[in-house]
């Protein structure tokens, strides 16, 4: 299958639902690509899923570049978007330098930024340099402290109006898609009808143009799940079972067996023993 481009992805709006999935390393990139997922997102959820932080705030541009380059090596032919992490796009010059690193060092197809009207100057600067930008509205994890936790957003009429205005503005300024996270389904459906680029939902109901899930949540690798995440596999317990069985077999000396071992011929072994004997003091 030919690699999907940013314009191809935009054109899928209204044609068919678009599948997005996060990935954070080489093997995950390979797996997501092999499953035929449309778009890989190297999210700054990297901080929680892979680096063991409690929030996305400690994630740096170096972390994102390091992991995204590995994902790209695993998925050279899949459209790949990379998150710019916390405080790496506070003004256009800084955003351009960091997005430039992502594009050049990871071969990403675009970057994702959290925020509405406040980030429009940054969006303009990146798009002017032909760096595709994906927006992210609603529950924006980089603002966890302002939100007072990971809470569903856009529940009041006023907040819905702000979100709808933000999505219109981002679209007018040229974003290629908007991730809508943690908002009521009706709001996401409304935005989806209002804007000309795809909406990608996570905890935003079924009415978006596409859906995105965190790799670990999708496959049952996480230890807890938000309400919106459906584990389509139970890999955490299957992996623990596999690792426990390995430990049991090591302890019982049933691993490795004869077929899993390398051998030397009787003749070479006898020679070796006589060599040792003849050279020992
Ligand atoms: O960081 C991330 O994985 C994300 C998705 C949850 C949309 O931003």
């Amino acid at each position: 299958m030919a690699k999907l481009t940013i314009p191809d992805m935009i054109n899928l709006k209204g044609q068919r639902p678009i599948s997005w999935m996060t990935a954070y390393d080489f093997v995950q990139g390979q797996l997501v690509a092999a499953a035929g997922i449309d778009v890989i997102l190297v999210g700054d959820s990297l901080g929680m899923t892979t680096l063991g932080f409690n929030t996305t705030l400690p994630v740096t541009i170096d972390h994102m570049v390091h992991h995204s380059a590995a994902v790209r090596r695993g998925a050279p032919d899949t459209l790949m978007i990379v998150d710019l992490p916390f405080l790496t796009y506070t003004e256009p010059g800084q955003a351009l330098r960091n997005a430039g690193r992502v594009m050049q060092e990871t071969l990403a197809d675009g970057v994702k930024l959290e925020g509405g009207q406040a980030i429009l100057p940054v969006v303009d600067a990146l798009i002017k340099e032909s760096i595709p930008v994906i927006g992210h509205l609603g529950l924006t994890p980089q603002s966890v402290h302002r939100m007072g936790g990971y809470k569903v957003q856009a529940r009041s009429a006023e907040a819905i109006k702000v979100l709808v205005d933000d999505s219109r503005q981002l679209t007018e300024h040229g974003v290629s898609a908007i991730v809508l996270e943690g908002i009521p389904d009706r709001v996401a459906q409304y935005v989806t009808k209002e804007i000309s680029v795809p909406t990608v939902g996570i905890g935003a109901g079924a009415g978006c143009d596409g859906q995105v899930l965190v790799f670990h949540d999708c496959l049952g690798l996480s230890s807890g799940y938000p309400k919106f995440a459906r584990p389509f596999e139970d890999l955490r317990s299957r992996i623990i079972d596999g690792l426990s069985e390995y430990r049991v077999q090591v302890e019982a000396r049933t691993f490795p067996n004869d077929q899993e071992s390398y051998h030397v011929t009787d003749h070479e072994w006898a020679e070796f023993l006589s060599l040792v004997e003849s050279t020992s003091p």
Side-chain angles (χ1 to χ4, degrees):
M1 215 169 48
K3 182 181 164 188
L4 207 66
T5 63
I6 289 276
D8 293 337
M9 190 268 301
I10 296 173
N11 286 334
L12 287 177
K13 185 177 175 93
Q15 305 285 316
R16 66 158 171 86
I18 312 166
S19 55
W20 289 50
M21 175 59 54
T22 70
Y24 312 97
D25 67 23
F26 173 73
V27 171
Q28 291 170 8
Q30 284 186 319
L31 295 172
V32 174
I37 303 276
D38 293 315
V39 184
I40 292 179
L41 170 66
V42 188
D44 60 355
S45 48
L46 167 78
M48 282 110 113
T49 60
T50 308
L51 302 179
F53 299 130
N54 284 333
T55 70
T56 59
L57 304 195
V59 176
T60 66
I61 196 73
D62 284 343
H63 290 141
M64 293 307 298
V65 166
H66 179 80
H67 285 264
S68 305
V71 173
R72 177 50 97 206
R73 289 191 286 275
D77 300 321
T78 304
L79 185 60
M80 183 177 90
I81 303 298
V82 173
D83 268 351
L84 287 192
F86 183 55
L87 293 185
T88 63
Y89 52 101
T90 57
E91 48 86 16
Q94 180 207 30
L96 205 47
R97 278 190 301 280
N98 287 320
R101 272 198 70 191
V102 166
M103 299 299 286
Q104 291 187 308
E105 296 178 38
T106 79
L107 307 182
D109 296 287
V111 294
K112 176 167 79 61
L113 315 181
E114 296 182 7
Q117 304 204 15
I119 66 160
L120 292 176
V122 163
V123 171
D124 289 342
L126 299 187
I127 290 176
K128 182 166 164 279
E129 298 305 331
S130 299
I131 299 177
V133 176
I134 309 298
H136 184 159
L137 294 172
L139 195 171
T140 45
Q142 291 173 17
S143 306
V144 60
H145 296 308
R146 177 179 52 74
M147 294 182 301
Y150 298 104
K151 295 180 178 159
V152 174
Q153 302 294 300
R155 283 191 138 146
S156 69
E158 214 170 87
I160 295 170
K161 174 85 169 57
V162 170
L163 187 134
V164 170
D165 287 347
D166 280 348
S167 60
R168 283 197 189 114
Q169 294 258 23
L170 285 171
T171 307
E172 278 163 21
H173 282 252
V175 298
S176 303
I178 300 180
V179 169
L180 297 174
E181 178 168 358
I183 62 172
D185 50 1
R186 277 214 279 200
V187 179
Q189 213 168 345
Y190 186 89
V191 171
T192 301
K193 288 209 185 92
E194 280 294 301
I195 65 174
S196 56
V197 296
T199 57
V200 186
I202 173 159
C208 294
D209 295 303
Q211 296 291 326
V212 58
L213 255 191
V214 166
F215 185 90
H216 296 62
D217 292 347
C218 178
L219 295 174
L221 282 164
S222 306
S223 43
Y225 299 91
K227 165 188 161 97
F228 60 78
R230 186 190 305 171
F232 289 84
E233 264 293 349
D234 183 16
L235 287 195
R236 192 177 179 90
S237 56
R238 287 175 63 180
I239 288 173
I240 293 171
D241 285 353
L243 293 171
S244 303
E245 183 57 21
Y246 161 76
R247 176 185 54 76
V248 165
Q249 299 229 12
V250 167
E251 287 171 4
R253 292 198 186 284
T254 49
F255 174 81
N257 62 23
D258 197 50
Q259 288 86 55
E260 290 155 343
S261 303
Y262 298 104
H263 304 289
V264 63
T265 61
D266 291 345
H267 173 74
E268 289 299 328
W269 193 243
E271 288 241 325
F272 161 70
L273 290 179
S274 65
L275 256 181
V276 173
E277 261 166 45
S278 66
T279 55
S280 61

